Amino acid sequence: MIKAIYPGSFDPVTNGHLDIIKRASKFVDVLVVGILDNPNKHCLFTSEERKELIKIVTKDIPNVEVESFYGLLTDFAKEINASLIIRGIRDTNDFAVEFQRSITNKQLNSDIETVCLIADEKNLILSSTAVKEVAIFGGDIDWMVPKEITGYVKEKYNK
Ligand code: PNS
């Protein structure tokens, strides 16, 4: 059985993240979306909220689970028996970062492989940061995040 982890901050989950989740869930038995719960990083959504949002958009994908983790990714992967790390790549900047991360993670646990998926062309410029930058000034984010998520992001900035 192949169990994989797709880690990230997901603050909030974007169309790009969801595309990677859908594609990865087709070639593994179980895909755990792992939300990094970093108390030192200021996030728009709490890790519990991010978890709920990902659960909402993945509710129709039966082999997807959602968990939060704190600490090293390789430690969490081992704890849940995941043998693959999934990451999405949008451009050469992402490649450079993921290249280094995969080597670091391999050094930390050589049993865990990293698999990078190239982002779909319609998602190449999407990021959670861009979503927040547009939303804070009331811009249209419908094209950036799953339709179920739009209201939650807008609500954060209306408070
Ligand atoms: O969504 P992001 O911010 O690109 O996700 C980054 C993430 C969570 C994958 C990365 O920061 C991570 O793996 N953090 C856990 C700490 C860790 O294991 N670091 C060593 C490998 S670089």
Side-chain angles (χ1 to χ4, degrees), residues 11-15 17 44-45 125-137 139-141 143-145 149-150 153 157:
D11 186 42
V13 61
T14 67
N15 287 337
H17 294 133
L44 180 63
F45 291 93
I125 58 152
L126 289 187
S127 67
S128 298
T129 304
V131 170
K132 288 177 276 193
E133 278 183 21
V134 172
I136 199 167
F137 296 113
D140 176 19
I141 56 163
W143 56 284
M144 303 171 108
V145 296
I149 302 303
T150 314
V153 178
Y157 291 111

Short mmCIF file of all heavy atoms in Angstrom, two decimals, residues 11-15 17 44-45 125-137 139-141 143-145 149-150 153 157:
data_model
loop_
_atom_site.label_atom_id
_atom_site.label_comp_id
_atom_site.label_asym_id
_atom_site.label_seq_id
_atom_site.Cartn_x
_atom_site.Cartn_y
_atom_site.Cartn_z
N ASP A 11 -2.74 28.21 3.39
CA ASP A 11 -3.34 29.37 4.10
C ASP A 11 -3.81 30.44 3.11
O ASP A 11 -3.20 31.51 3.07
CB ASP A 11 -2.33 29.95 5.08
CG ASP A 11 -2.93 31.04 5.95
OD1 ASP A 11 -4.08 30.85 6.39
OD2 ASP A 11 -2.28 32.07 6.17
N PRO A 12 -4.87 30.22 2.33
CA PRO A 12 -5.76 29.06 2.32
C PRO A 12 -5.42 28.13 1.16
O PRO A 12 -4.56 28.44 0.34
CB PRO A 12 -7.13 29.72 2.05
CG PRO A 12 -6.80 30.82 1.08
CD PRO A 12 -5.44 31.33 1.51
N VAL A 13 -6.15 26.99 1.10
CA VAL A 13 -6.02 26.05 -0.01
C VAL A 13 -6.43 26.77 -1.30
O VAL A 13 -7.41 27.53 -1.32
CB VAL A 13 -6.87 24.78 0.25
CG1 VAL A 13 -8.36 25.09 0.39
CG2 VAL A 13 -6.63 23.72 -0.80
N THR A 14 -5.65 26.56 -2.36
CA THR A 14 -5.94 27.22 -3.66
C THR A 14 -6.36 26.16 -4.70
O THR A 14 -6.25 24.95 -4.45
CB THR A 14 -4.68 27.93 -4.20
OG1 THR A 14 -3.71 26.92 -4.54
CG2 THR A 14 -4.10 28.91 -3.20
N ASN A 15 -6.75 26.65 -5.88
CA ASN A 15 -7.05 25.73 -6.99
C ASN A 15 -5.82 24.90 -7.34
O ASN A 15 -5.93 23.75 -7.77
CB ASN A 15 -7.50 26.51 -8.22
CG ASN A 15 -8.89 27.08 -8.06
OD1 ASN A 15 -9.68 26.58 -7.26
ND2 ASN A 15 -9.21 28.13 -8.80
N HIS A 17 -3.41 23.87 -5.23
CA HIS A 17 -3.29 22.78 -4.25
C HIS A 17 -4.30 21.65 -4.56
O HIS A 17 -3.94 20.48 -4.54
CB HIS A 17 -3.61 23.29 -2.83
CG HIS A 17 -2.63 24.29 -2.28
ND1 HIS A 17 -3.04 25.46 -1.67
CD2 HIS A 17 -1.28 24.30 -2.24
CE1 HIS A 17 -1.97 26.14 -1.26
NE2 HIS A 17 -0.90 25.46 -1.61
N LEU A 44 -3.41 33.50 8.22
CA LEU A 44 -4.76 34.08 8.19
C LEU A 44 -5.75 33.13 8.87
O LEU A 44 -6.60 33.55 9.66
CB LEU A 44 -5.17 34.33 6.73
CG LEU A 44 -6.54 34.94 6.50
CD1 LEU A 44 -6.64 36.34 7.11
CD2 LEU A 44 -6.84 34.99 4.99
N PHE A 45 -5.61 31.84 8.56
CA PHE A 45 -6.49 30.82 9.14
C PHE A 45 -5.71 29.99 10.18
O PHE A 45 -4.53 29.68 9.97
CB PHE A 45 -7.01 29.88 8.05
CG PHE A 45 -7.96 30.53 7.09
CD1 PHE A 45 -7.50 31.08 5.90
CD2 PHE A 45 -9.32 30.60 7.36
CE1 PHE A 45 -8.37 31.69 5.01
CE2 PHE A 45 -10.21 31.21 6.48
CZ PHE A 45 -9.73 31.75 5.30
N ILE A 125 0.46 30.68 -11.74
CA ILE A 125 0.73 31.91 -10.99
C ILE A 125 -0.06 31.98 -9.68
O ILE A 125 -0.06 33.01 -9.01
CB ILE A 125 0.45 33.18 -11.83
CG1 ILE A 125 -1.00 33.18 -12.31
CG2 ILE A 125 1.42 33.29 -12.99
CD1 ILE A 125 -1.54 34.57 -12.52
N LEU A 126 -0.70 30.89 -9.32
CA LEU A 126 -1.51 30.91 -8.09
C LEU A 126 -0.66 30.62 -6.85
O LEU A 126 0.21 29.76 -6.88
CB LEU A 126 -2.61 29.84 -8.16
CG LEU A 126 -3.75 30.08 -9.11
CD1 LEU A 126 -4.82 29.01 -8.90
CD2 LEU A 126 -4.36 31.46 -8.91
N SER A 127 -0.94 31.34 -5.79
CA SER A 127 -0.33 31.04 -4.49
C SER A 127 -1.28 31.54 -3.40
O SER A 127 -2.11 32.43 -3.65
CB SER A 127 1.03 31.74 -4.34
OG SER A 127 0.84 33.14 -4.27
N SER A 128 -1.13 30.99 -2.22
CA SER A 128 -1.95 31.45 -1.09
C SER A 128 -1.65 32.92 -0.81
O SER A 128 -2.55 33.69 -0.44
CB SER A 128 -1.67 30.61 0.15
OG SER A 128 -1.99 29.26 -0.07
N THR A 129 -0.38 33.30 -0.96
CA THR A 129 0.01 34.71 -0.73
C THR A 129 -0.73 35.62 -1.70
O THR A 129 -1.26 36.67 -1.30
CB THR A 129 1.54 34.86 -0.91
OG1 THR A 129 2.17 33.95 -0.03
CG2 THR A 129 2.01 36.27 -0.63
N ALA A 130 -0.78 35.23 -2.97
CA ALA A 130 -1.47 36.07 -3.97
C ALA A 130 -2.97 36.17 -3.64
O ALA A 130 -3.57 37.25 -3.78
CB ALA A 130 -1.26 35.48 -5.37
N VAL A 131 -3.55 35.06 -3.19
CA VAL A 131 -4.97 35.08 -2.82
C VAL A 131 -5.22 36.15 -1.75
O VAL A 131 -6.14 36.97 -1.84
CB VAL A 131 -5.42 33.69 -2.30
CG1 VAL A 131 -6.83 33.75 -1.69
CG2 VAL A 131 -5.37 32.65 -3.41
N LYS A 132 -4.34 36.17 -0.73
CA LYS A 132 -4.52 37.12 0.38
C LYS A 132 -4.28 38.56 -0.07
O LYS A 132 -4.99 39.47 0.36
CB LYS A 132 -3.60 36.74 1.55
CG LYS A 132 -4.08 35.47 2.25
CD LYS A 132 -3.14 35.03 3.35
CE LYS A 132 -2.00 34.21 2.82
NZ LYS A 132 -1.21 33.50 3.82
N GLU A 133 -3.30 38.73 -0.96
CA GLU A 133 -3.01 40.09 -1.45
C GLU A 133 -4.18 40.67 -2.24
O GLU A 133 -4.46 41.86 -2.17
CB GLU A 133 -1.75 40.06 -2.34
CG GLU A 133 -0.47 40.11 -1.53
CD GLU A 133 0.78 40.14 -2.38
OE1 GLU A 133 0.70 40.52 -3.57
OE2 GLU A 133 1.83 39.78 -1.85
N VAL A 134 -4.85 39.82 -3.00
CA VAL A 134 -6.00 40.28 -3.78
C VAL A 134 -7.21 40.49 -2.85
O VAL A 134 -7.89 41.51 -2.93
CB VAL A 134 -6.33 39.27 -4.91
CG1 VAL A 134 -7.64 39.63 -5.61
CG2 VAL A 134 -5.18 39.20 -5.93
N ALA A 135 -7.42 39.51 -1.96
CA ALA A 135 -8.61 39.55 -1.11
C ALA A 135 -8.60 40.72 -0.13
O ALA A 135 -9.65 41.30 0.17
CB ALA A 135 -8.73 38.23 -0.33
N ILE A 136 -7.41 41.10 0.33
CA ILE A 136 -7.35 42.16 1.35
C ILE A 136 -7.89 43.49 0.81
O ILE A 136 -8.45 44.30 1.54
CB ILE A 136 -5.91 42.31 1.90
CG1 ILE A 136 -5.92 43.06 3.24
CG2 ILE A 136 -4.97 42.99 0.93
CD1 ILE A 136 -4.60 42.97 4.00
N PHE A 137 -7.78 43.66 -0.52
CA PHE A 137 -8.30 44.90 -1.14
C PHE A 137 -9.63 44.67 -1.85
O PHE A 137 -10.04 45.48 -2.68
CB PHE A 137 -7.26 45.48 -2.10
CG PHE A 137 -5.99 45.91 -1.41
CD1 PHE A 137 -4.79 45.27 -1.63
CD2 PHE A 137 -6.01 46.96 -0.48
CE1 PHE A 137 -3.62 45.65 -0.98
CE2 PHE A 137 -4.85 47.35 0.18
CZ PHE A 137 -3.65 46.70 -0.06
N GLY A 139 -10.48 42.37 -4.07
CA GLY A 139 -10.44 41.90 -5.46
C GLY A 139 -11.08 40.54 -5.63
O GLY A 139 -11.34 39.83 -4.65
N ASP A 140 -11.30 40.17 -6.88
CA ASP A 140 -11.96 38.91 -7.21
C ASP A 140 -11.00 37.73 -7.02
O ASP A 140 -9.95 37.67 -7.67
CB ASP A 140 -12.42 38.98 -8.68
CG ASP A 140 -13.04 37.69 -9.14
OD1 ASP A 140 -13.44 36.88 -8.28
OD2 ASP A 140 -13.10 37.49 -10.38
N ILE A 141 -11.35 36.80 -6.15
CA ILE A 141 -10.49 35.61 -5.94
C ILE A 141 -11.19 34.34 -6.42
O ILE A 141 -10.67 33.24 -6.21
CB ILE A 141 -10.07 35.45 -4.45
CG1 ILE A 141 -11.31 35.39 -3.52
CG2 ILE A 141 -9.11 36.54 -4.03
CD1 ILE A 141 -11.00 34.83 -2.14
N TRP A 143 -11.34 32.97 -9.20
CA TRP A 143 -10.53 32.17 -10.12
C TRP A 143 -9.32 31.53 -9.43
O TRP A 143 -8.61 30.73 -10.04
CB TRP A 143 -10.07 33.05 -11.29
CG TRP A 143 -9.31 34.28 -10.84
CD1 TRP A 143 -9.82 35.42 -10.29
CD2 TRP A 143 -7.89 34.47 -10.87
NE1 TRP A 143 -8.82 36.31 -9.97
CE2 TRP A 143 -7.62 35.75 -10.33
CE3 TRP A 143 -6.81 33.69 -11.30
CZ2 TRP A 143 -6.32 36.26 -10.19
CZ3 TRP A 143 -5.53 34.20 -11.17
CH2 TRP A 143 -5.29 35.47 -10.62
N MET A 144 -9.11 31.86 -8.15
CA MET A 144 -7.89 31.40 -7.46
C MET A 144 -8.13 30.26 -6.48
O MET A 144 -7.23 29.46 -6.23
CB MET A 144 -7.26 32.56 -6.69
CG MET A 144 -6.92 33.76 -7.55
SD MET A 144 -6.42 35.18 -6.54
CE MET A 144 -4.69 35.22 -6.87
N VAL A 145 -9.31 30.23 -5.90
CA VAL A 145 -9.59 29.22 -4.86
C VAL A 145 -10.85 28.44 -5.21
O VAL A 145 -11.70 28.92 -5.96
CB VAL A 145 -9.77 29.88 -3.46
CG1 VAL A 145 -8.50 30.55 -3.00
CG2 VAL A 145 -10.93 30.87 -3.45
N ILE A 149 -14.43 28.02 -0.89
CA ILE A 149 -13.48 28.71 -0.01
C ILE A 149 -13.62 30.23 -0.05
O ILE A 149 -13.32 30.93 0.93
CB ILE A 149 -12.02 28.31 -0.43
CG1 ILE A 149 -11.84 26.80 -0.35
CG2 ILE A 149 -10.96 29.03 0.39
CD1 ILE A 149 -12.12 26.21 1.03
N THR A 150 -14.11 30.73 -1.18
CA THR A 150 -14.18 32.19 -1.39
C THR A 150 -14.81 32.93 -0.21
O THR A 150 -14.24 33.91 0.30
CB THR A 150 -15.01 32.49 -2.66
OG1 THR A 150 -14.57 31.62 -3.69
CG2 THR A 150 -14.85 33.93 -3.10
N VAL A 153 -12.64 33.27 2.94
CA VAL A 153 -11.53 34.24 2.84
C VAL A 153 -12.09 35.66 2.96
O VAL A 153 -11.56 36.49 3.72
CB VAL A 153 -10.77 34.07 1.50
CG1 VAL A 153 -9.65 35.10 1.38
CG2 VAL A 153 -10.20 32.66 1.37
N TYR A 157 -11.54 39.12 5.96
CA TYR A 157 -11.18 40.51 5.75
C TYR A 157 -12.33 41.49 6.02
O TYR A 157 -12.13 42.68 6.10
CB TYR A 157 -10.64 40.70 4.33
CG TYR A 157 -9.30 40.03 4.15
CD1 TYR A 157 -9.16 38.91 3.34
CD2 TYR A 157 -8.18 40.49 4.85
CE1 TYR A 157 -7.93 38.27 3.20
CE2 TYR A 157 -6.95 39.85 4.71
CZ TYR A 157 -6.84 38.76 3.89
OH TYR A 157 -5.62 38.14 3.77
#
